Amino acid sequence: MRATRGAARLHILAVALCATLCALPALRPGAGTPWTTLGLLTGLYLACELPGRYPLFGSSVPVSAGSFFPLLLAAAFLLPPAAAALVAIPGSLVGRVENHPVAARRLWRAAQLALTVWAASRVHALLGGPAALGGSGAGRLPDLPYALLPACAAALAFSLVLTVLDGSILAAAEQLPLRRAWSGLLPRALGPHLVHGLAGLMMAVLWTSSYGPLAALFVLLPMYISCWVFAQYHREHAAHRATIRALVQAVDIKDTYTRGHSERVGRASVLIAHELGMTQDRVEVLRFAGILHDVGKLGVPTRVLRKDGPLTPEERRVIELHPEYGHEIVRGIGFLGEARAAILHHHERLDGSGYPYGLHGREIPEFARVVAVADAFDAMTSTRSYRPGRPVPVAVEELKRCAGTQFDPQMVRALARGVERHGWAGAGSAVTADEVPHQNQARPAIEDQTAAGPPRHPRGGLDVGAARPSGRSAPPSRLPE
C-alpha cells in the first residue's frame, strides 16, 4: 500500500469500506443467508482462482485474479445482494497478481468485485429475477424469456459499475482526467459481460432446477475452458505487441532523430486502411507494417545514420539497403504476414524509379503502397530541428502532385479523405530530435537544392529519403523515412 499514490490508497480504502457495508447484512443473525449455496459458490470461485498461484499452471490459467465473471454473475442471480458480495472476496484475495504493490491490488480487486456483484444482484432482484429462475418445486419452471431481462440488466449493471471503478482507480493512481481514464472502457467490456451474464443465467437455472448444483458444473467447465482459450489468444497478441515494441525501441535508440515517426506512420497507415475498407485483421497487420517500416535501420552503421552533412553516393547506397535489412530481420516473424512485403518495398515508386528492386505500378504490394504514402505524409508534417512541419493541407497537396508517378493515387485519395474526416494529430508542434533546435542550425543539403517546397528526390518526386544537415552544428542525420 505504501508504494501506491496517496489518492489511490484513499480510493481503495473508500471502495473497500463501501463493499464491507454492502456485505455486512449477510453476516447479521437472522439474515436468512443461504449459507450452503454461498459456501459452494465461494469455494468454486476460489478453486477457479487458485491455479494461478502454483508453478504447475503458471501463466496458462485462463484469467488473472478475480475475473471469472460467469460464476460471479451466477452468484448475483442465485443469492441476495449482501451474500453475493461475499463470493468474490476469498478468490480475489488469494488469486495471482503479477504487478506490485500486490497487497493493494488484491484488496482493490476484492472490494471492486464485491461492490460490482452486489450491484448486479440488486438490479436482478429489483426486476424479479429470483422468481423468474423457477426452482426445484413442482410447477416452478424458469419464466423464459422474461428471465433474460433481469439477467441482461444485471450484466449491464455489472459492466457499468466495474468500468466506473476501473476508470476511477486509473484516474487516482495515474492522475489522469476522468474522461480519459474511462474512455473506451465500457464499449470494450459490455459485450463480453453480456455473454458472461447469459452463461451465469444458464448456470443459475440449472442450479435451481431439480438437477441441482452438480448439473451447473456442466456450464462452468466449458465456460472455464473458453475463458482459457480467450486468454491464450490475448496473451499471444500481447506477445506480438511486445515484439513490435522491442523492435521499435531498438530503432529509436539507434536513430533518435526520428523518434515517434514509426508510430505515426502506423497511425496514418490505419487511417488509409479504414478508408479502403480493409478487414480488421488486415488493418492490424498494416499497422505493424507502418510501425516497423524502418526496422532495417538496425542494419545500417551508426556512423552513417548520425553523419553530419550530406551523404556520399556510397553512403546513400548503404542507406538504400535498409528495406532489405528490415525484411531479413522480420522474415521469421510469422504473424506479420503481408507486413513483411511492405517493409521490403515501401520505397518502391509507381514509375519504377524506387528501390530496392525498381518495381512498377501494381507489382508493388498493396501494403507497401499504403506505407509509402503514410511515410511521406508524416515526414512532411513532422517538425524537425532544422525545419518546421508543413501544414497538413500542404502535405496532402504535395502527395497529390506526386500521385501516379511516385505514389498510388488510390492511397493518396484515401489519406486525404481520412484526414478530412478525422483530422491528423501528428507531430507538427513537437521536435522529434532529442535536443531543442538551435536557431542557426543548417537545413539539409537536399532541401538547399530547391528554391521552395518539400525536398525532391534526385530521380524526381518527393524525397523522404536521406536528407542530411550540412555543417558541424547540424543535428544527427536520418534514414529515409
Side-chain angles (χ1 to χ4, degrees):
M1 292 283 287
R2 284 178 295 183
T4 311
R5 290 183 183 272
R9 288 200 300 268
L10 290 175
H11 187 62
I12 292 171
L13 293 175
V15 173
L17 178 60
C18 290
T20 301
L21 293 175
C22 290
L24 273 180
L27 304 176
R28 291 174 183 164
T33 301
W35 290 106
T36 301
T37 302
L38 174 60
L40 286 172
L41 288 169
T42 303
L44 283 172
Y45 188 69
L46 184 62
C48 289
E49 298 299 333
L50 275 176
R53 298 292 300 274
Y54 298 100
L56 177 63
F57 298 94
S59 62
S60 66
V61 294
V63 284
S64 59
S67 55
F68 192 56
F69 294 152
L71 188 52
L72 292 182
L73 283 160
F77 302 153
L78 290 167
L79 295 169
L86 294 171
V87 172
I89 295 175
S92 300
L93 289 176
V94 303
R96 185 179 77 235
V97 176
E98 297 178 350
N99 300 315
H100 292 282
V102 172
R105 290 179 182 273
R106 283 182 175 154
L107 177 60
W108 165 253
R109 196 63 170 158
Q112 179 192 35
L113 288 177
L115 200 57
T116 301
V117 176
W118 178 90
S121 181
R122 186 73 175 165
V123 170
H124 188 257
L126 287 173
L127 294 175
L133 291 177
S136 57
R140 294 199 61 199
L141 296 176
D143 184 7
L144 294 173
Y146 178 76
L148 294 171
L149 174 61
C152 290
L156 177 59
F158 184 95
S159 188
L160 282 170
V161 175
L162 190 65
T163 53
V164 166
L165 291 174
D166 276 339
S168 66
I169 191 62
L170 185 62
E174 303 295 335
Q175 296 183 338
L176 296 175
L178 282 175
R179 184 175 179 180
R180 181 180 171 190
W182 283 327
S183 176
L185 289 180
L186 184 60
R188 290 195 299 268
L190 189 56
H193 290 164
L194 286 174
V195 174
H196 295 157
L198 294 177
L201 175 63
M202 189 183 303
M203 186 175 178
V205 168
L206 288 173
W207 192 290
T208 58
S209 72
S210 57
Y211 299 105
L214 185 61
L217 296 180
F218 287 101
V219 177
L220 181 64
L221 182 60
M223 279 302 300
Y224 197 79
I225 293 173
S226 66
C227 282
W228 179 83
V229 172
F230 192 66
Q232 292 299 99
Y233 171 80
H234 277 279
R235 286 195 183 94
E236 182 179 345
H237 273 256
H240 293 173
R241 289 192 295 271
T243 301
I244 300 299
R245 186 164 54 249
L247 289 171
V248 171
Q249 286 175 345
V251 173
D252 284 346
I253 289 171
K254 186 164 186 178
D255 185 10
T256 59
Y257 186 71
T258 56
R259 179 169 294 167
H261 168 70
S262 297
E263 292 287 346
R264 294 191 300 275
V265 172
R267 292 205 305 272
S269 299
V270 168
L271 198 65
I272 296 171
H274 284 310
E275 293 298 321
L276 295 175
M278 289 187 183
T279 63
Q280 189 55 44
D281 289 345
R282 295 192 78 212
V283 170
E284 183 68 6
V285 175
L286 182 55
R287 186 175 73 87
F288 289 156
I291 291 173
L292 291 177
H293 73 287
D294 272 345
V295 70
K297 287 180 179 181
L298 296 174
V300 177
T302 304
R303 62 177 177 78
V304 177
L305 284 177
R306 301 187 177 184
K307 178 186 176 183
D308 291 341
L311 295 175
T312 65
E314 292 77 13
E315 289 167 339
R316 179 176 277 275
R317 283 194 289 272
V318 169
I319 290 250
E320 290 184 354
L321 289 173
H322 83 275
E324 295 175 274
Y325 291 153
H327 183 260
E328 191 67 25
I329 289 170
V330 303
R331 186 172 60 178
I333 305 178
F335 69 84
L336 287 178
E338 293 179 81
R340 289 171 292 188
I343 292 167
L344 178 61
H345 296 295
H346 70 279
H347 278 296
E348 304 283 3
R349 298 169 180 243
L350 256 64
D351 60 6
S353 64
Y355 61 88
Y357 300 133
L359 300 184
H360 289 77
R362 295 289 172 172
E363 294 177 351
I364 305 170
E366 182 183 24
F367 277 20
R369 285 179 272 133
V370 172
V371 172
V373 172
D375 185 19
F377 176 70
D378 182 70
M380 286 189 288
T381 56
S382 298
T383 294
R384 305 300 189 208
S385 54
Y386 59 85
R387 54 104 175 132
R390 293 175 176 83
V392 169
V394 173
V396 170
E397 286 302 316
E398 184 63 20
L399 290 172
K400 290 179 179 178
R401 188 190 66 81
C402 297
T405 55
Q406 181 173 352
F407 304 116
D408 187 329
Q410 181 185 14
M411 308 310 174
V412 173
R413 289 194 297 268
L415 177 69
R417 289 195 305 269
V419 169
E420 183 178 0
R421 186 176 304 177
H422 304 289
W424 177 250
S429 61
V431 177
T432 56
D434 284 344
E435 297 180 357
V436 176
H438 297 293
Q439 301 246 339
N440 60 350
Q441 277 183 318
R443 299 169 63 204
I446 285 184
E447 282 200 280
D448 287 340
Q449 296 169 7
T450 60
R456 301 287 185 264
H457 189 275
R459 287 172 287 193
L462 177 65
D463 185 16
V464 293
R468 287 296 182 273
S470 58
R472 299 184 61 182
S473 63
S477 62
R478 55 189 173 90
L479 266 176
E481 296 172 331

